[in-house]
Amino acid sequence: MGAGVVIRDHNGVCVAACSDSYQEVTIPELAEAMAMRRSLIFAKDESLDHVSLATECLSMVQRINAGEMDRSICGPVVQDIKHLIATFSTCSVVHVRRELNAAAHLLTRSVV
């Protein structure tokens, strides 16, 4: 599986992008969690401090925003995400429709 990360400014203009391949991952939700963690690391590398993380995976949004510990196979990655979120001045995790995430999907296809 692959991951595409797109960083946009406050006007929605793409300012940076990257992609990764997770060949060993076969569970889509785990791949999404890994992509979200990669997004936050990339944002930190780009010295961003105010971030909105958008995904079409509603269950990941719910897991990350939940107060309790995630005990699923995604749990350790979700915990990493929560720790990374705490390092930003502001960081929100939001659900978007798939068609609003088209650029990230194009990047993902390029690495698979």
Side-chain angles (χ1 to χ4, degrees), residues 6-75:
V6 177
I7 294 178
R8 299 179 187 277
D9 67 11
H10 62 282
N11 292 317
V13 176
C14 179
V15 294
C18 73
S19 58
D20 276 334
S21 178
Y22 306 120
Q23 297 298 328
E24 69 284 357
V25 178
T26 58
I27 301 167
E29 197 169 49
L30 180 57
E32 185 67 22
M34 293 172 71
M36 293 174 79
R37 178 176 59 190
R38 177 66 178 106
S39 298
L40 293 170
I41 292 168
F42 187 41
K44 273 293 177 194
D45 291 346
E46 294 294 313
S47 300
L48 301 175
D49 202 35
H50 304 279
V51 176
S52 179
L53 187 61
T55 178
E56 73 257 9
C57 186
L58 180 59
S59 66
M60 285 309 303
V61 173
Q62 293 168 334
R63 288 171 190 267
I64 292 165
N65 289 330
E68 66 271 359
M69 178 87 129
D70 184 336
R71 300 200 186 284
S72 74
I73 193 158
C74 300

